[in-house]
Amino acid sequence: MGFLGKIFGGGGNGGEKKESSADRMLKIIRERTTMDYAELVPADEQTMPWNSKIGGIPYMPEGFVYPCDETDYTVQAEGSVAPQPQTAPSDVLLGGTGQLRVENPEIIAGDTTLTEVAEPAEREKKPLHFLGQLNFAEMPALEGFPREGILQFYISGEDSLGLNFENRTDQKGFRVIYHERVTEDTSRLLAEVPTTGMEDAFPLSGERKLNFRKASMAMTSWDFRFEKLLLEVYNQTHPDATVPTLDRVDESVFDEVYAQLEAGGHRVGGYPSFTQLDPREYDERIQEHTVLLFQLDSDSDNGIAWGDNGVCNFFIRPDDLAKRDFSGVLYNWDCY
């Protein structure tokens, strides 16, 4: 081999790069885990109430019961008469259960006052903030997801943004609502939301339409299942040096694998990203929540900031998604 050939990789292999250990592992991981997802592309475009979007005015059919923060309100005074809740239209599944769930009276959209209840000192509930919605008819088809209907996400504007760290499926500080049937008749839609205040913690400023691009991805290194997968793949690609745990392998061996399997951004489906740990890793109660329902990342270009450059995720169990039951959705957000 000549001098230039040695420098530029000439020789019997035609100049091709030799397959590394990381290359072999990445190939198997991608073969096993690659799946389709819908990339969400925020755009500064005008929206209609039924469009996929973050911020702005949500889709609210007549009679829509606007969700309120249930995490911290004063119990009604003893002896006072509880108000009768307004009834939601039959195509609105509160909590996604398929049953109307209105144990607590809510605020009707378009009315900034509480329904006839006790004095504010006795009972106070803040409307949740509208985070975003997905119109599945606008989104590329994904296996297991609805092909129609609108799925909405509401969260508190308080410091925790409605996240219950002890129970991330507790829909008191957030709400997931599925509208099974959608009308595009604006005369049958409400156009105002209750006043929610100006809490500084809320991660959105302004409104963005959500456009979609279908793509595919392999499991990210953040996913709680990844280390088990990586151990299996390492042993498969190193049959003469198998190990019982990843601790037995120099971390530098995995540097390239981890680097190529990190993926932030906004999406539906696919695999999540985190700034801290996947909460499913240390809480067995939520390890069946394997479907990424909605991920919204920090994005300064589009006015999205989850604390210090964090990210928000919603997950659902596959069986619940098949039943269109959104009452047990897992909500998480974290930041640096």
Side-chain angles (χ1 to χ4, degrees), residues 157-171:
E158 303 295 340
D159 288 343
S160 68
L161 300 177
L163 176 58
N164 181 342
F165 293 93
E166 300 300 321
N167 180 4
R168 286 174 166 82
T169 64
D170 181 19
Q171 290 197 33

Side-chain angles (χ1 to χ4, degrees), residues 176-189:
V176 180
I177 298 174
Y178 180 52
H179 300 265
E180 190 170 27
R181 293 182 292 277
V182 177
T183 178
E184 296 185 0
D185 180 354
T186 55
S187 68
R188 297 174 58 194
L189 302 177

Side-chain angles (χ1 to χ4, degrees), residues 76 80-86 102-105 115-118 123:
Q76 186 169 317
S80 59
V81 179
Q84 295 302 310
Q86 299 285 341
V102 289
E103 302 96 328
N104 293 301
T115 53
E116 295 178 7
V117 295
R123 189 175 192 284

Side-chain angles (χ1 to χ4, degrees), residues 104-226:
N104 293 301
E106 307 279 18
I107 293 178
I108 299 300
D111 182 359
T112 58
T113 62
L114 292 174
T115 53
E116 295 178 7
V117 295
E119 294 298 323
E122 297 172 331
R123 189 175 192 284
E124 232 178 86
K125 294 170 65 176
K126 291 184 179 180
L128 294 173
H129 285 263
F130 171 61
L131 179 65
Q133 65 187 28
L134 303 168
N135 185 331
F136 291 113
E138 299 174 344
M139 195 179 81
L142 293 178
E143 184 177 355
F145 282 82
R147 300 294 176 86
E148 58 186 5
I150 291 177
L151 188 64
Q152 298 181 322
F153 304 86
Y154 296 83
I155 64 173
S156 170
E158 303 295 340
D159 288 343
S160 68
L161 300 177
L163 176 58
N164 181 342
F165 293 93
E166 300 300 321
N167 180 4
R168 286 174 166 82
T169 64
D170 181 19
Q171 290 197 33
K172 291 182 179 177
F174 76 97
R175 208 69 47 82
V176 180
I177 298 174
Y178 180 52
H179 300 265
E180 190 170 27
R181 293 182 292 277
V182 177
T183 178
E184 296 185 0
D185 180 354
T186 55
S187 68
R188 297 174 58 194
L189 302 177
L190 303 171
E192 295 182 3
V193 298
T195 301
T196 56
M198 296 296 291
E199 293 89 342
D200 293 337
F202 191 64
L204 297 184
S205 60
E207 175 190 37
R208 292 290 188 276
K209 184 178 181 183
L210 290 177
N211 297 316
F212 301 90
R213 283 197 292 256
K214 193 169 186 178
S216 60
M217 66 186 300
M219 182 181 290
T220 59
S221 57
W222 285 287
D223 194 290
F224 78 103
R225 299 162 291 183
F226 185 77

Side-chain angles (χ1 to χ4, degrees), residues 19-292:
E19 187 179 48
S20 67
S21 171
D23 291 333
R24 294 194 298 272
M25 287 188 283
L26 284 164
K27 181 179 179 181
I28 295 173
I29 290 170
R30 287 171 176 145
E31 287 174 349
R32 287 193 189 181
T33 67
T34 294
M35 64 188 302
D36 291 337
Y37 71 97
E39 179 186 358
L40 305 179
V41 185
D44 188 8
E45 299 175 7
Q46 185 175 358
T47 70
M48 298 302 290
W50 50 83
N51 287 146
S52 301
K53 64 174 76 176
I54 54 173
I57 302 296
Y59 174 81
M60 299 179 293
E62 292 175 326
F64 177 64
V65 182
Y66 195 91
C68 290
D69 192 338
E70 302 285 349
T71 57
D72 185 19
Y73 64 91
T74 306
V75 178
Q76 186 169 317
E78 185 177 357
S80 59
V81 179
Q84 295 302 310
Q86 299 285 341
T87 302
S90 60
D91 61 335
V92 179
L93 310 185
L94 300 180
T97 61
Q99 303 296 321
L100 296 179
R101 183 166 61 83
V102 289
E103 302 96 328
N104 293 301
E106 307 279 18
I107 293 178
I108 299 300
D111 182 359
T112 58
T113 62
L114 292 174
T115 53
E116 295 178 7
V117 295
E119 294 298 323
E122 297 172 331
R123 189 175 192 284
E124 232 178 86
K125 294 170 65 176
K126 291 184 179 180
L128 294 173
H129 285 263
F130 171 61
L131 179 65
Q133 65 187 28
L134 303 168
N135 185 331
F136 291 113
E138 299 174 344
M139 195 179 81
L142 293 178
E143 184 177 355
F145 282 82
R147 300 294 176 86
E148 58 186 5
I150 291 177
L151 188 64
Q152 298 181 322
F153 304 86
Y154 296 83
I155 64 173
S156 170
E158 303 295 340
D159 288 343
S160 68
L161 300 177
L163 176 58
N164 181 342
F165 293 93
E166 300 300 321
N167 180 4
R168 286 174 166 82
T169 64
D170 181 19
Q171 290 197 33
K172 291 182 179 177
F174 76 97
R175 208 69 47 82
V176 180
I177 298 174
Y178 180 52
H179 300 265
E180 190 170 27
R181 293 182 292 277
V182 177
T183 178
E184 296 185 0
D185 180 354
T186 55
S187 68
R188 297 174 58 194
L189 302 177
L190 303 171
E192 295 182 3
V193 298
T195 301
T196 56
M198 296 296 291
E199 293 89 342
D200 293 337
F202 191 64
L204 297 184
S205 60
E207 175 190 37
R208 292 290 188 276
K209 184 178 181 183
L210 290 177
N211 297 316
F212 301 90
R213 283 197 292 256
K214 193 169 186 178
S216 60
M217 66 186 300
M219 182 181 290
T220 59
S221 57
W222 285 287
D223 194 290
F224 78 103
R225 299 162 291 183
F226 185 77
E227 285 200 1
K228 179 182 178 183
L229 171 67
L230 184 59
L231 177 61
E232 293 173 357
V233 172
Y234 176 83
N235 286 334
Q236 181 178 341
T237 54
H238 298 79
D240 298 327
T242 60
V243 294
T245 67
L246 294 177
D247 296 338
R248 301 291 185 89
V249 184
D250 190 309
E251 290 184 2
S252 64
V253 173
F254 302 122
D255 285 348
E256 186 178 348
V257 176
Y258 280 110
Q260 294 199 41
L261 295 176
E262 295 181 357
H266 320 299
R267 56 181 167 270
V268 174
Y271 299 94
S273 61
F274 303 93
T275 58
Q276 303 295 327
L277 291 175
D278 186 336
R280 299 171 296 177
E281 184 173 330
Y282 51 83
D283 190 344
E284 294 182 356
R285 297 173 301 171
I286 55 177
Q287 289 183 351
E288 293 182 355
H289 290 72
T290 55
V291 179
L292 181 58

